[in-house]
Structures are given as C-alpha cells and as structure tokens.
Amino acid sequence: MERRRVGILGATGMVGQRFIQLLSNHPWFEIAWLAASDRSAGKTYGEACKWKLDTPLPKHIAAMTVQPNVPEGSTVELPTIIFAALDADIARELEPKFAAVGCAVISNSSAFRMSKDVPLVVPEVNADHLALIAEQSWRKENGGKGGYIVTNPNCSAIGLVLALKPLEEKFGIESLFVSTMQAVSGAGYPGVPSLDILGNVVPFIKNEEEKMQEEVGKLLGKLAGDHVDALDAKVSAHCNRVPVEDGHTECVSIKLKKKATREEILAAWSEFAPLRHFVQDKHLPTAPDQPVEYDEGVDRPQPRLDRMRGNGMASTVGRLRECTLLDWKFVVLSHNTIRGAAGAAVLNAEVLALLGKLDKLSVASVADRAAVTA
Ligand code: NAP
C-alpha cells in the first residue's frame, strides 16, 4: 500500500518529536512536511530541534527543511493530513487555516476540543463521534475545498476514560473523584524549571482540572445528531505536577449507578476490546491489543515500570479496592506523550483512514490557498 503523505505542525516540541518517532516507520503514513515557529522555519529540522527522545533522530528527518507555519508559504507540496502539536492560542489561529485549505487537521491542542462540531475522540471510547466532521463549517465553505479538525483529549483525560468506558457501559457512572500525579514532559520543553520541581510537588497545572472535568463528560457522552450530550455524572479533579519524566498516574474513587463486584469490574476491563468490532478486526498499527491492562501487583502501576505497556498506548490499572467514601477506588497510569498525545492522534488518523475519511481531501491551489486563508 502506498503511504499517505503527512505533515507535523509544532514538529520540534515534546509532542512533535513523539510524532516523528511514531511516524518515521509507520506503514500507512510518510512524513513529508514539518513546521514549527518562525524561529525554526528555513532551518533543517536537525538544527531547529533539541531532540530529547531516547531513540536516534532519523537522518532523513534531520535533513528536512522546516516549513513556514502557514499553508501558503510551503516550498514543498502541502500534505492533506496535518498532525498538530501547538499551544492552544497558536492552534486557535493556525489550525483553521489548514482546515480551510482542505487539510484534515488531527490536533492535540485544547483550542477546539469542546467546540460543538469538533470530535474529541479516543477511538476505543467514542469513535462514533467522528461523524461530527460533517457538521464543520470550513468544510461547507470554500467551494467544498475545506477540510476538518479532529482532536484528542488532554493527556490525563485519555488514560482515565479508557479505564472508565467499560465501567460506564456495564454499570453507569454516578460520580468520580480523581487526583493526578503528572509528569514534567506534559508541560512541553523546556517546561517546568528544575528548581521548581526537583524534590517537590506543584499542586497546580493551569486549566488542567477544568479540562479533565469537561472532556471526560464529552468523551463519555452520547452523539445526538449535530452535537454530543455530555455524560450526566459529577467529576472532580485535582491535578499535580511531580518530578517524573514521562507517565501520568491518577488515583480514582468512583460511585457507580449499578452495584458491581470486584470480579465484575475486573472482567469489564479485561473484556474491553471495542475496536475489534468497530473496525471489524482490521489491524490498526498503533492500537494496543489490550487497551486496559490490569496489574495485580500491590504496588503497581508505576510510571517507570508500566508506561510502555502496549508500546505506550495501554492504560494500566491497579489497586482496585473498596472505597469508604464512594464505591471503588483504583490507580490508572498512561504515557502522556504517546497515549496521551502523539500516539492518540496517530490512532485517530488510522481510524479515519479505515473509515475512508482521509480519501477525498484535496488541498487548494497556491493562489486559492492565499485567498482562503487571507
Ligand atoms: P512544546 O514542547 O512547548 O512544543 C511547542 C511546539 O510549538 C514547538 O514545535 C514550537 O516550535 C511550536 N510553536 C511555538 N510557537 C509557534 C508558532 N507561532 N507557530 C507554529 N509553531 C509554533 O509543547 P508540547 O508539549 O509538544 O505540546 C504541544 C501541544 O500538545 C499543547 O497544546 C499541549 O497542551 C498538547 N499536549 C501536550 C502533551 C504532553 O504530554 N506534552 C499531552 C497532550 C497534549 P519552536 O521549536 O520553533 O518554538
């Protein structure tokens, strides 16, 4: 199969680097375009990026020229699929420009996650919400040349909803209390100053608690025509930054609508394989075989030991026990820049490819591009 050309916007950052790691040998996608800020444009990727991952930067990627961050400035053919890893304010300005010229923008940013017509998707949880793409206005404008935006959630919400989805399906969720211990790589590069985080815990991450609460509602909500009805459950989040490199740990207490035994909860997690039905057993390269893995160890999951389960795409759960406040409590762990960011977006793109939603895209001509983004 010929690989589809893709671009990465925000390619030099923590999430952008993960995109390069995950896509440089991907069987369906080929990196053809890279962009970052004006500081990086025109340099080779090797010059522009401080590579921080523990696998070598591929030589052919290091040699690529970083493109301007707008569709009309590209010196190479603009791909129709753009993975985006930008801060929210920048994403709010740039992502619509790429959607307007015809690209599928597969975004990590919070800028459009809660927009009524933008799917916020974790494929194992709510792939049906991708139908919202048809509602997006940049698609109806510009003579049908418009593309669309699809988002993945906040890095803490992703690991959590994977563990919650099977419980919501089988027993219903009434209320939820979650307290996170989030890795420093979640703050991007260079991120939290070392003097703030070494030997310390910072009990504040700007906007994170609000994002977790509202995104969990949309992810576990029901598609109702042109919008999603949020899950009717109370969610309270505490978010903390801890001196861990990668991997977000979350302590969860939950009240279920229907009483469940320990065995029933464990069975709900181990039987959870929704993509098998959704894509009819077709293989998705980035999907983990077991999206939720339960570890019986009394002191698991732990970020250093468990974050790479399912190639960094599994959510590991442990320590299921009765809660004296609500019904049950447990611990969830997931890799924040793989399952929580770049891997999540790549999996979204794989599902879009299987659904045929990457097939009919075409990018406007250079003259039209300047007109639609003006
Ligand atoms: P980061 O390390 O700070 O990287 C930011 C990227 O944006 C860099 O490539 C930077 O390029 C680029 N950039 C800055 N200003 C720009 C502009 N005006 N135009 C185009 N590109 C520009 O951040 P990150 O951790 O990768 O996060 C990126 C996004 O993903 C954020 O929205 C974040 O909330 C979200 N996210 C992150 C995680 C995580 O665990 N890190 C998880 C989920 C979601 P230069 O190198 O040229 O400055």
Side-chain angles (χ1 to χ4, degrees), residues 10-33:
T12 51
M14 290 312 298
V15 177
Q17 294 184 27
R18 281 287 176 202
F19 272 124
I20 285 169
Q21 190 185 50
L22 296 174
L23 290 169
S24 47
N25 288 311
H26 195 284
W28 299 2
F29 303 122
E30 180 192 2
I31 300 171
W33 182 94

Side-chain angles (χ1 to χ4, degrees), residues 59-258:
K59 284 202 177 89
H60 68 287
I61 301 286
M64 286 175 72
T65 301
V66 179
Q67 298 293 320
N69 58 22
V70 283
E72 61 272 21
S74 186
T75 59
V76 296
E77 188 192 339
L78 186 68
T80 52
I81 304 163
I82 301 289
F83 292 102
L86 299 169
D87 277 348
D89 288 346
I90 301 161
R92 200 166 288 115
E93 182 197 331
L94 293 186
E95 289 180 357
K97 293 189 178 185
F98 285 85
V101 298
C103 299
V105 178
I106 301 169
S107 167
N108 269 280
S109 154
S110 61
F112 295 101
R113 284 182 195 148
M114 297 307 292
S115 299
K116 185 182 158 202
D117 58 4
V118 172
L120 172 66
V121 172
V122 175
E124 292 94 332
V125 172
N126 62 337
D128 59 317
H129 292 194
L130 288 170
L132 286 177
I133 288 169
E135 304 295 325
Q136 295 188 20
S137 58
W138 28 72
R139 188 183 171 89
K140 290 176 195 148
E141 292 158 4
N142 307 321
K145 286 182 188 149
Y148 55 81
I149 297 176
V150 166
T151 59
N152 53 255
N154 167 281
C155 40
S156 301
I158 296 187
L160 178 64
V161 291
L162 280 167
L164 295 181
K165 176 70 176 178
L167 306 185
E168 165 58 16
E169 271 178 352
K170 299 237 154 116
F171 318 112
I173 296 171
E174 195 168 308
S175 58
L176 180 82
F177 171 90
V178 53
S179 187
T180 70
M181 286 155 273
Q182 301 185 210
V184 284
S185 61
Y189 185 82
V192 191
S194 56
L195 278 180
D196 285 343
I197 197 69
L198 287 176
N200 203 14
V201 169
V202 181
F204 175 70
I205 305 174
K206 195 172 174 205
N207 298 332
E208 195 81 351
E209 295 173 352
E210 296 81 357
K211 281 188 212 165
M212 273 191 87
Q213 290 165 186
E214 63 183 8
E215 290 178 19
V216 165
K218 184 169 178 182
L219 287 157
L220 295 177
K222 289 220 164 24
L223 184 67
D226 64 353
H227 68 284
V228 171
D229 286 331
L231 179 77
D232 182 21
K234 281 190 186 150
V235 180
S236 175
H238 292 240
C239 294
N240 305 289
R241 188 74 70 197
V242 297
V244 164
E245 190 188 347
D246 287 314
H248 291 353
T249 308
E250 308 178 36
C251 293
V252 184
S253 284
I254 190 165
K255 185 164 181 59
L256 301 170
K257 288 191 172 142
K258 193 175 132 202

Side-chain angles (χ1 to χ4, degrees), residues 167 170-171 256 259-271 294 296 320-322 328:
L167 306 185
K170 299 237 154 116
F171 318 112
L256 301 170
K259 291 288 167 215
T261 65
R262 180 184 161 81
E263 289 67 34
E264 286 171 329
I265 292 175
L266 293 179
W269 282 327
S270 73
E271 289 161 11
Y294 187 80
E296 291 285 356
L320 177 66
R321 60 227 191 270
E322 286 186 16
W328 290 97

